[in-house]
Amino acid sequence: MLNGDKVIRIFCLVDDLLKGIGHQEDVRCRVSDSEVITTAIVAALYLGGHHDNARGFMQMTGMCPQMLDKSRYNRRLHRLEPLLCSMFFQLGGYLKDISGASSYVIDSFPVAVCDNIRISRSKMLKGKQWRGRQSSMRRYLYGVKVQVLTTAKGIPVEFGFVPGSESDVQALKKLPLSVAPESCIYGDAAYTDYTIEDDMLEAENIHLMIGRKSNSKRKDEPWVRFLKEHSRKRIETTFSEIKNLFLRKIHAVTFKGFLLKILMFIFAYTLNRLTD
């Protein structure tokens, strides 16, 4: 439910994160970066990502009486994209520091740019690398896969974008996976790579607890298999809750804007869990 107290809590957390990374902005700005980011988070949490509606809400309620017009707001938000990524990973770092040696879960979910029938007319993306298959739903997609690392409670702490055709085990090599030694990272069989498992255990003392296929060379004991399957369940709920924030289609003019909106959905979900 959208209410003023919730928005104020989110604004305070965003402002503290900006101060924590030593962010400084132009003193001539009528609208602070904290207000711009909070407006985008409100749009992602409650308005399906519609920034213009969020602008109207913030101005109408007096939370940001000098709100920028639509065009200037969008340009300002796009300039803040690197800062938003830094804020998310800083927040994720705080959560990982607090957790210490703990359990994490890794998985991915697809976000399609368009339906398969419209691939040839897509102006946002071109190329076969964006076409992939979602085995769990037995369908193809044209877009990106979002790789997410969450805590055991389902709060995202790391994420990354890869083309739709890229497998999960390839994407595993692109995430930082910077967690404390003796931590366990649970994942499904799509992340099977014995070399990575051995290297991470030897170099960083991090246990990759990957589900085994029926023909796996490294069979699990029944209790280990149960533990892996049980520990992974929370991330499916997290993905469902994030995708429930989407509308039927993510409206964006450019691919950069498309990725920015996905980032805002993940960031907004994380802040919402922390401010509840």
Side-chain angles (χ1 to χ4, degrees):
M1 181 178 178
L2 181 55
N3 60 73
D5 291 340
K6 180 75 170 182
V7 175
I8 291 171
R9 289 200 300 270
I10 291 174
F11 172 81
C12 292
L13 185 53
V14 168
D15 199 52
D16 288 342
L17 286 172
L18 289 175
K19 291 177 181 177
I21 61 177
H23 174 66
Q24 294 182 347
E25 56 190 78
D26 195 325
V27 295
R28 296 171 295 178
C29 291
R30 293 187 299 125
V31 179
S32 68
D33 289 340
S34 300
E35 291 171 316
V36 172
I37 294 170
T38 301
T39 303
I41 291 170
V42 169
L45 270 182
Y46 303 107
L47 302 170
H50 280 289
H51 295 155
D52 200 30
N53 292 346
R55 283 179 49 257
F57 169 80
M58 296 292 283
Q59 190 170 25
M60 180 181 64
T61 56
M63 294 185 184
C64 186
Q66 295 185 322
M67 177 56 70
L68 305 171
D69 62 45
K70 182 178 180 179
S71 178
R72 290 181 65 191
Y73 176 83
N74 285 333
R75 291 198 302 271
R76 181 87 171 270
L77 183 61
H78 275 68
R79 286 201 302 270
L80 292 175
E81 182 183 13
L83 179 64
L84 287 165
C85 290
S86 297
M87 290 172 63
F88 176 85
F89 280 97
Q90 180 203 25
L91 182 59
Y94 287 157
L95 294 174
K96 287 184 283 189
D97 290 342
I98 293 170
S99 301
S102 185
S103 297
Y104 299 88
V105 188
I106 187 171
D107 207 344
S108 66
F109 67 92
V111 183
V113 168
C114 64
D115 294 329
N116 288 333
I117 198 172
R118 295 189 176 90
I119 290 176
S120 60
R121 290 177 284 165
S122 175
K123 297 181 181 179
M124 191 179 298
L125 293 177
K126 298 290 183 182
K128 294 182 178 179
Q129 71 271 25
W130 304 107
R131 183 179 175 88
R133 187 172 187 276
Q134 189 179 2
S135 300
S136 60
M137 300 187 68
R138 298 181 182 178
R139 72 175 192 178
Y140 288 90
L141 71 116
Y142 193 71
V144 298
K145 286 182 180 177
V146 187
Q147 298 288 334
V148 183
L149 180 73
T150 73
T151 64
K153 294 182 178 180
I155 301 177
V157 292
E158 291 183 11
F159 79 95
F161 300 118
V162 296
S165 63
E166 191 162 307
S167 66
D168 286 342
V169 70
Q170 291 174 313
L172 179 64
K173 305 172 185 177
K174 299 180 179 179
L175 283 178
L177 298 181
S178 102
V179 298
E182 300 184 7
S183 294
C184 296
I185 300 177
Y186 294 89
D188 60 23
Y191 292 95
T192 300
D193 188 317
Y194 301 138
T195 303
I196 295 177
E197 292 181 33
D198 295 339
D199 289 346
M200 290 194 68
L201 183 59
E202 181 180 354
E204 303 180 36
N205 197 20
I206 296 172
H207 302 267
L208 275 181
M209 305 289 285
I210 305 302
R212 300 304 184 198
K213 299 178 182 178
S214 58
N215 61 347
S216 174
K217 296 179 181 179
R218 299 185 182 182
K219 299 288 185 181
D220 283 334
E221 295 292 335
W223 67 271
V224 176
R225 184 167 62 251
F226 172 81
L227 178 64
K228 290 180 178 180
E229 292 176 357
H230 177 75
S231 300
R232 283 192 57 257
K233 290 185 181 295
R234 184 58 182 84
I235 198 170
E236 300 296 342
T237 304
T238 295
F239 288 166
S240 297
E241 291 171 348
I242 291 174
K243 288 189 283 189
N244 283 341
L245 301 176
F246 297 3
L247 293 180
R248 187 177 174 207
K249 180 180 181 297
I250 296 178
H251 176 72
V253 177
T254 65
F255 185 50
K256 181 179 179 181
F258 180 78
L259 296 181
L260 177 60
K261 283 203 169 182
I262 299 175
L263 163 62
M264 292 311 307
F265 283 123
I266 298 172
F267 194 19
Y269 174 81
T270 303
L271 292 179
N272 186 48
R273 289 287 305 275
L274 295 175
T275 55
D276 275 344

